């Protein structure tokens, strides 16, 4: 037989002598049934020689021409996964896995091993031609899927809907391909079933997270043929660190965008400033794509800001991240670090309650381990409600408002910081007349608590529906009822997410009312278009009346009529009269009447000039 093959090779050489380079196969007598590929330069140049270069060897059975080699990873790949066929789109109600032969040669998969979550199934004698597909299914698969392509029935074959690890091994248990399947790999809204997950680029053997996509076929999948999402899909993007979270003084979590390579998974690419001890262990979660780095007890010191330095984080495709820095810290707030700042317990009809807190710690604080609660009649904490379900950080001297529905709250109130309003999955129930607002940490330590009463509202208000109670001073106790006041009407009766209108301020005797600028020109040129009447009573509970008179003493505009104002407030005049027509150029008198139950009535008079720019 060896002589026949050798003669056939010589014949091929004779037919192709007119080609400069020729590739051919020859038998290797030292190893039974092995063929080797070679390349020879038929007409070498002056600087070249004509030595044959051996390109590689494979094994074969003469009887079937089926290649049965020691294959390499990626010679056969998982190309499509239908883990959950229901609800059925158009394909049969059958789970399946599709293989694609990418080796360039025919492959016999006899005695190859398919494993799903460690359960092994031996594959039968089956020849898969180059660049063709093979469907693997459970009992009855031929009847259901045979019309789509070559199908192998595997008794007991099953794919868990909630995720699994699937591997393909050669007969000598060499790894050919593997995949950690998760329903989260499907496009949003398609994880419920009916659509397969398809490999985008079957020749890409790394970075599986970005090389699979939900089928866009109208049938819900493409068993036995080219995938509907097939495309050239090289991975050129290096991995990213999404977050660094301290779970305790001993445990650090680092979430990344994709599975890193083997060397990076050990965590040696991370260093820390200030220095931390060598970790006791480093574990990587392939599904959640995150490191869990375990340090000796008490390694991460509370209140210290650390820098995680990532140097050389590399993904499975060889993309390397340049040196990167990520800050992390460990701190559990103690009583007085976070203060209850504002509470709305009697919202407008169709509105929602909210609780605002203020960071008084001098440090940035993670909010995910904090909870809102209320007290029962026995002064015991009721059910806890997490402030947020993900890592949120409240900076020093910042406000944050929490509610059940941010959209409704933003519709009812203007805020200077929409991003400072957070939605809670569940929100405590606060009574309309009296109740407790309690803020606790995960150790069940009370950080702050506020006993509110409806009677704490401004007695001059005839209706408190939709009016929040605001804290006046962060240096005075939360429990002091005189430290709370109704939000000013000038701010819309609430200030969620930013400084309270009732904030206590220290004012100079002569600064109660001021007007800026003394000369203004409301012509829309962006320069001094508004007259600003600044009111600084220094405490809440004042009522303002503001009237504008012309130089003849006739009232042309009433800017405020029994308007409740904050500790510091600004009322603007745009230069128009009561009928919204522009006032003429000239001198105008501003008369401000301020009233407080504690300070009585105060009247202030000043003048301004309404002009226009000179042409």
């Amino acid at each position: 037989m060896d002589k026949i093959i050798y003669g056939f090779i010589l014949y091929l050489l004779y037919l192709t002598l007119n080609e400069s380079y020729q590739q051919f196969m020859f038998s290797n007598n030292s190893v039974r049934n092995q063929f080797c590929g070679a390349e020879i330069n038929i007409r070498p140049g002056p600087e070249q020689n004509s030595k044959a270069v051996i390109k590689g060897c494979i094994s074969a059975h003469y009887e079937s021409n089926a290649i049965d080699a020691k294959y390499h990873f990626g010679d056969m790949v998982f190309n499509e996964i239908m883990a959950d066929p229901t609800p059925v789109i158009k394909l049969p109600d059958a789970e399946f896995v599709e293989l694609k032969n990418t080796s360039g040669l025919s492959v016999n998969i006899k005695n190859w091993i398919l494993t799903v979550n460690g359960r092994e199934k031996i594959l039968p004698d089956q020849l898969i031609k180059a660049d063709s597909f093979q469907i693997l299914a459970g009992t009855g698969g031929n009847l259901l899927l045979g019309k789509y392509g070559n199908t192998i029935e595997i008794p007991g074959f099953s794919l868990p809907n909630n995720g699994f690890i699937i591997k393909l091994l050669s007969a000598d248990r060499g790894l050919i391909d593997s995949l950690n399947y998760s329903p989260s790999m499907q496009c949003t809204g398609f994880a419920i079933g009916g659509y397969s997950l398809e490999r985008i680029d079957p020749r890409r053997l790394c970075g599986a997270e970005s090389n699979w996509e939900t089928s866009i076929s109208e049938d819900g999948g493409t068993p036995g043929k080219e995938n509907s999402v097939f495309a050239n899909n090289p991975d050129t993007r290096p991995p990213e660190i999404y977050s660094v979270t301290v779970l305790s003084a001993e445990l650090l979590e680092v979430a990344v965008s994709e599975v890193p390579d083997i060397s990076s998974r050990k965590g040696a690419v991370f260093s820390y400033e200030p220095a931390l001890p060598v970790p006791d262990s480093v574990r990587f979660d392939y599904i959640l794509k995150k490191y869990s780095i375990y340090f000796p007890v008490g390694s991460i010191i509370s209140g210290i800001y650390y820098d995680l330095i990532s140097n050389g984080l590399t993904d499975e495709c060889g993309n390397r991240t340049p040196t990167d820095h990520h800050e992390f810290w460990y701190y559990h707030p103690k009583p007085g670090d976070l203060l209850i700042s504002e509470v709305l317990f009697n919202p407008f009809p169709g509105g929602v309650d909210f609780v605002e807190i203020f960071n008084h710690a001098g440090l940035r604080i993670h909010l995910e381990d904090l909870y809102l609660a209320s007290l029962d009649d026995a002064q015991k904490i009721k059910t806890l409600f997490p402030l947020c379900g993900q890592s949120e950080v409240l900076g020093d001297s910042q406000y944050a408002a929490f509610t059940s529905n941010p959209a409704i709250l933003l519709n009812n109130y203007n805020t200077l910081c929409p991003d400072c309003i957070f939605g809670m999955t569940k929100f405590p129930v606060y009574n309309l007349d009296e109740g407790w607002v309690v803020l606790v940490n995960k150790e069940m330590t009370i950080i702050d608590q506020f006993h509110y009463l409806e009677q704490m509202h401004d007695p001059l208000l005839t209706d408190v529906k939709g009016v929040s109670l605001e804290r006046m001073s962060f240096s005075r106790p939360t429990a002091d009822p005189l430290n709370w006041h109704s939000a000013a009407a000038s701010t819309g009766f609430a200030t969620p997410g930013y400084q309270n209108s009732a904030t206590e301020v220290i004012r100079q005797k002569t600064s109660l009312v001021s007007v800026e600028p003394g000369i203004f020109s409301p012509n829309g040129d962006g320069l001094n278009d508004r007259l600003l009447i600044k009111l600084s009573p220094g405490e809440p509970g004042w009522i303002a009346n503001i009237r504008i008179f012309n130089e003849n003493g006739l009232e042309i505009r009433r800017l405020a009529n029994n308007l409740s104002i904050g500790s510091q407030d600004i009322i603007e005049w745009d230069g128009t009269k009561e009928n919204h027509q522009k006032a003429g150029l000239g001198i105008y008198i501003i008369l401000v009447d301020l009233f407080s139950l504690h300070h009585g009535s105060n009247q202030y008079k000043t003048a301004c000039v309404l002009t226009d720019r000179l042409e």
Side-chain angles (χ1 to χ4, degrees):
M1 182 64 72
D2 288 342
K3 291 181 179 180
I4 295 174
I5 294 175
Y6 184 72
F8 178 72
I9 293 172
L10 291 178
Y11 178 72
L12 290 177
L13 285 174
Y14 172 79
L15 293 177
T16 54
L17 282 177
N18 62 326
E19 297 290 337
S20 296
Y21 283 91
Q22 181 63 46
Q23 296 182 352
F24 60 93
M25 300 288 290
F26 64 94
S27 63
N28 182 3
N29 291 327
S30 63
V31 179
R32 184 177 181 271
N33 293 356
Q34 187 177 77
F35 286 99
C36 298
E39 185 177 85
I40 187 169
N41 189 350
I42 304 302
R43 293 192 287 272
E47 74 285 354
Q48 298 173 316
N49 57 51
S50 58
K51 291 182 179 180
V53 180
I54 297 175
K55 308 297 288 185
C57 301
I58 58 174
S59 297
H61 295 300
Y62 298 132
E63 295 81 6
S64 63
N65 291 326
I67 298 163
D68 188 16
K70 289 187 177 297
Y71 285 98
H72 299 92
F73 183 82
D75 284 347
M76 186 83 63
V77 298
F78 295 117
N79 197 54
E80 187 173 1
I81 304 283
M82 176 65 88
D84 186 4
T86 55
V88 170
I89 306 304
K90 289 185 179 180
L91 293 178
D93 186 2
E95 298 175 353
F96 68 83
V97 171
E98 179 192 76
L99 303 178
K100 182 172 183 178
N101 182 355
T102 58
S103 68
L105 302 166
S106 294
V107 174
N108 193 316
I109 59 172
K110 181 180 180 181
N111 293 328
W112 282 30
I113 305 163
L114 179 73
T115 75
V116 179
N117 286 343
R119 295 184 61 185
E120 296 186 354
K121 299 291 182 181
I122 305 300
L123 300 181
D125 187 347
Q126 178 70 40
L127 181 68
I128 305 176
K129 295 181 180 180
D131 296 318
S132 64
F133 306 94
Q134 178 67 55
I135 301 171
L136 308 179
T139 302
N142 266 321
L143 178 64
L144 295 172
L145 296 167
K147 67 178 180 179
Y148 296 99
N150 293 328
T151 301
I152 295 176
E153 290 189 9
I154 304 174
F157 173 83
S158 179
L159 300 175
N161 292 348
N162 60 349
F164 51 86
I165 298 175
I166 187 169
K167 296 180 181 180
L168 182 65
L169 308 176
S170 64
D172 58 2
R173 306 194 72 85
L175 181 63
I176 302 299
D177 198 15
S178 66
L179 176 67
N180 292 349
Y181 173 85
S182 170
S184 62
M185 297 171 69
Q186 298 275 13
C187 294
T188 302
F190 288 85
I192 60 172
Y195 287 87
S196 71
L197 191 70
E198 297 181 343
R199 195 177 192 128
I200 300 172
D201 188 346
R203 298 192 181 277
R204 172 176 151 183
L205 305 179
C206 58
E209 293 87 355
S210 57
N211 198 33
W212 288 82
E213 192 170 320
T214 300
S215 175
I216 58 174
S217 168
E218 63 178 12
D219 294 337
T222 56
K225 63 181 181 180
E226 200 75 85
N227 288 343
S228 62
V229 299
F230 173 79
N232 185 35
N233 186 36
D235 182 3
T236 59
R237 185 174 180 176
E240 299 178 45
I241 293 178
Y242 281 160
S243 65
V244 181
T245 306
V246 180
L247 296 185
S248 70
E250 298 80 37
L251 178 56
L252 186 68
E253 269 192 1
V254 181
V256 293
S257 59
E258 57 181 308
V259 176
D261 67 359
I262 294 177
S263 61
S264 295
R265 288 199 290 269
K266 298 177 182 178
V269 294
F270 300 141
S271 59
Y272 312 92
E273 183 63 40
L276 287 170
V278 175
D280 291 336
S281 64
V282 177
R283 302 173 187 173
F284 187 82
D285 189 314
Y286 290 83
I287 302 299
L288 299 178
K289 296 191 284 295
K290 68 178 182 180
Y291 293 86
S292 293
I293 305 174
Y294 295 86
F295 292 96
V297 175
S299 294
I300 305 175
I301 300 173
S302 176
I304 299 296
Y305 291 100
Y306 293 89
D307 182 22
L308 179 142
I309 305 165
S310 170
N311 188 7
L313 182 63
T314 307
D315 66 15
E316 295 175 333
C317 297
N319 300 302
R320 183 185 177 98
T321 301
T323 301
D324 197 10
H325 297 262
H326 295 268
E327 188 178 58
F328 65 93
W329 67 96
Y330 171 76
Y331 182 74
H332 280 310
K334 59 183 183 298
D337 285 341
L338 293 169
L339 299 176
I340 298 169
S341 174
E342 186 174 0
V343 177
L344 176 66
F345 51 87
N346 187 0
F348 291 121
V352 290
D353 295 353
F354 76 85
V355 172
E356 178 188 81
I357 63 174
F358 175 77
N359 185 352
H360 199 245
L363 296 166
R364 284 168 288 171
I365 293 179
H366 291 282
L367 299 177
E368 62 267 26
D369 292 329
L370 295 167
Y371 304 85
L372 272 182
S374 56
L375 299 181
D376 59 21
D377 295 337
Q379 301 296 294
K380 293 183 179 180
I381 293 176
K382 293 182 181 180
T383 307
L384 300 177
F385 300 89
L387 287 186
C388 51
Q390 56 186 358
S391 180
E392 297 286 355
V393 176
L394 187 62
D396 180 37
S397 299
Q398 285 188 344
Y399 297 81
F402 298 89
T403 181
S404 61
N405 193 317
I408 293 177
L409 190 65
L410 289 168
N411 187 56
N412 287 340
Y413 301 98
N414 292 321
T415 177
L416 300 180
C417 185
D419 293 336
C420 300
I421 297 177
F422 301 91
M424 294 172 56
T425 304
K426 291 186 177 181
F427 193 84
V429 176
Y430 293 119
N431 296 330
L432 301 181
D433 55 347
E434 179 183 5
W436 286 86
V437 178
V438 184
L439 182 67
V440 300
N441 62 19
K442 67 178 182 179
E443 284 85 18
M444 295 299 292
T445 300
I446 295 179
I447 305 301
D448 197 17
Q449 60 182 353
F450 171 47
H451 182 207
Y452 66 85
L453 298 167
E454 186 181 28
Q455 291 84 348
M456 297 170 69
H457 275 296
D458 190 335
L460 295 176
L461 291 174
T462 58
D463 186 2
V464 297
K465 196 176 295 293
V467 182
S468 71
L469 278 177
E470 294 182 327
R471 188 185 190 124
M472 295 170 56
S473 173
F474 296 114
S475 60
R476 291 161 58 188
T478 307
D480 182 0
L482 298 179
N483 195 23
W484 293 85
H485 198 278
S486 303
S490 58
T491 61
F493 293 112
T495 56
Y498 67 104
Q499 180 177 308
N500 295 343
S501 64
T503 300
E504 186 176 60
V505 296
I506 299 176
R507 65 175 177 85
Q508 302 296 326
K509 291 182 179 180
T510 58
S511 63
L512 186 60
V513 178
S514 62
V515 173
E516 293 180 10
I519 301 175
F520 77 113
S521 53
N523 51 25
D525 64 354
L527 181 64
N528 296 331
D529 284 332
R530 296 288 189 272
L531 181 73
L532 306 180
I533 304 169
K534 297 185 177 181
L535 310 175
S536 303
E539 60 184 18
W542 289 79
I543 302 296
N545 288 282
I546 303 175
R547 295 180 290 173
I548 309 292
F549 299 86
N550 64 17
E551 58 187 3
N552 297 320
L554 296 175
E555 182 178 334
I556 67 163
R557 182 72 185 271
R558 182 160 296 198
L559 289 179
N561 187 32
N562 292 329
L563 179 70
S564 66
I565 61 173
S567 305
Q568 289 182 315
D569 230 321
I570 297 177
I571 308 298
E572 295 184 0
W573 183 37
D574 61 1
T576 61
K577 297 182 290 186
E578 201 68 38
N579 60 5
H580 302 294
Q581 298 296 316
K582 289 184 178 180
L585 306 183
I587 298 173
Y588 291 87
I589 306 299
I590 296 99
L591 185 64
V592 179
D593 283 309
L594 295 178
F595 170 78
S596 168
L597 286 176
H598 302 292
H599 301 281
S601 181
N602 296 268
Q603 189 174 85
Y604 301 86
K605 183 186 294 185
T606 186
C608 68
V609 177
L610 191 157
T611 185
D612 200 352
R613 62 187 178 188
L614 298 177
E615 299 296 342

